[in-house]
Amino acid sequence: MSAHKIIIAIDGYSSCGKSTLAKELAARLGYNYIDSGAMYRAITLYFLRHHIDFNDSAKVMEAIANITITFAFNEKTQSSDIHLNDEDVALYIRDMIVSEKVSQVAAIREVRSFAVAQQKRMGRKKGIVMDGRDIGTAVFPTAELKIFMTADPEVRVMRRFKEMYATNPNITIDEVRHNLELRDYIDSTREESPLHQAKDAILLNNSSLTRQEQLDIVLEWTKDRATTKVAG
Ligand code: CDP
């Protein structure tokens, strides 16, 4: 089989399992996985640490000029760790403090231009799976495979609650629900690249699918789009 590499764009609502699917897909295909949301979270972490006023464009621009985001492949976890100015921030960016502000930060035009420019560069060589909110609509509008993921809101709340509870036993289901609802609202209604399904994206509702089932479905779609070399 020829190793014709493609771009796979996965978009969708908060906490519907995009990263889980994207990571597994990339591993099977031997592609790079990039979590674009992690970039917005890292930028938010920087803004919070440096007390940047989100409404002050000049301060936002100045802060962005001081930010470098890199992804380093971690052999142990078989996925990429995100570094903010050379610091591994993977753990901090999942905090509720960051989740509470990230959609506000991601709605800022200057922030998006900065992140999208880097994301486009990362896709130059293809062979990439990227997940986010605007990957199929703004970052890679010509991606060979676009998936728009969704799941029932309560399923999403419980999945995220279990995930967060593992590191923060003080978290409540209501807090998680409120955060997901708020982010989905801001992400879908913002002016800059709002979250919506691209015309040519395939809808995938994974409410009642196992990880393996969703992976198998998407691997079939991948085969349909390109003759790719599937590892394993
Ligand atoms: O994993 P989860 O669904 O909680 O979200 P995420 O992928 O970590 O993204 C966090 C936030 O970043 C989203 O709620 C959006 O506000 C923003 N984001 C975005 O605007 N564009 C992207 N391509 C990815 C994330």
Side-chain angles (χ1 to χ4, degrees):
M1 238 188 266
S2 96
H4 169 59
K5 298 202 167 190
I6 64 168
I7 292 182
I8 302 177
I10 305 179
D11 289 305
Y13 295 102
S14 298
S15 199
C16 58
K18 299 182 297 292
S19 331
T20 304
L21 171 66
K23 220 181 278 175
E24 292 175 352
L25 199 54
R28 283 291 294 271
L29 297 167
Y31 281 17
N32 279 329
Y33 161 57
I34 298 295
D35 174 357
S36 71
M39 296 177 69
Y40 293 99
R41 286 175 178 272
I43 297 167
T44 305
L45 180 67
Y46 184 95
F47 282 12
L48 291 173
R49 282 178 173 176
H50 295 265
H51 309 287
I52 306 297
D53 175 357
F54 306 160
N55 299 311
D56 185 336
S57 282
K59 289 271 182 271
V60 164
M61 290 297 282
E62 206 183 295
I64 287 174
N66 291 319
I67 295 178
T68 302
I69 294 175
T70 46
F71 288 90
F73 192 73
N74 182 328
E75 289 291 341
K76 250 197 215 157
T77 58
Q78 284 294 300
S79 65
S80 295
D81 293 335
I82 184 160
H83 289 202
L84 168 65
N85 295 340
D86 290 330
E87 176 194 355
D88 182 349
V89 290
L91 276 181
Y92 308 118
I93 61 169
R94 304 285 156 205
D95 270 4
M96 194 46 113
I97 305 156
V98 172
S99 297
E100 272 168 1
K101 298 290 177 205
V102 64
S103 288
Q104 244 172 287
V105 171
I108 302 170
R109 179 184 311 211
E110 292 82 359
V111 168
R112 299 208 73 78
S113 316
F114 168 74
V116 170
Q118 183 168 347
Q119 289 153 9
K120 283 181 191 268
R121 283 198 296 276
M122 290 189 280
R124 270 198 203 130
K125 290 188 187 149
K126 300 217 173 186
I128 189 167
V129 184
M130 194 178 284
D131 76 323
R133 303 293 186 286
D134 61 339
I135 311 305
T137 52
V139 180
F140 301 126
T142 59
E144 288 85 352
L145 176 59
K146 297 182 188 177
I147 299 165
F148 191 83
M149 276 178 81
T150 185
D152 297 345
E154 272 316 292
V155 171
R156 296 197 275 123
V157 169
M158 287 317 291
R159 281 180 187 159
R160 183 51 54 98
F161 172 70
K162 280 184 197 148
E163 206 175 280
M164 294 192 82
Y165 187 81
T167 51
N168 175 11
N170 293 320
I171 196 90
T172 67
I173 295 176
D174 276 348
E175 258 178 287
V176 173
R177 181 180 297 111
H178 174 73
N179 181 252
L180 295 193
E181 283 171 358
L182 181 70
R183 283 201 286 131
D184 283 347
Y185 176 74
I186 300 177
D187 295 345
S188 323
T189 55
R190 69 185 176 212
E191 252 172 61
E192 300 291 323
S193 316
L195 167 67
H196 71 270
Q197 183 176 352
K199 276 199 200 90
D200 50 352
I202 311 175
L203 184 70
L204 177 68
N205 184 327
N206 71 358
S207 306
S208 53
L209 294 177
T210 64
R211 280 166 73 157
Q212 189 59 50
E213 283 168 343
Q214 74 174 11
L215 179 62
D216 290 343
I217 292 171
V218 177
L219 281 171
E220 271 311 304
W221 292 345
T222 306
K223 266 192 232 157
D224 284 352
R225 302 289 154 140
T227 313
T228 46
K229 204 164 106 186
V230 180

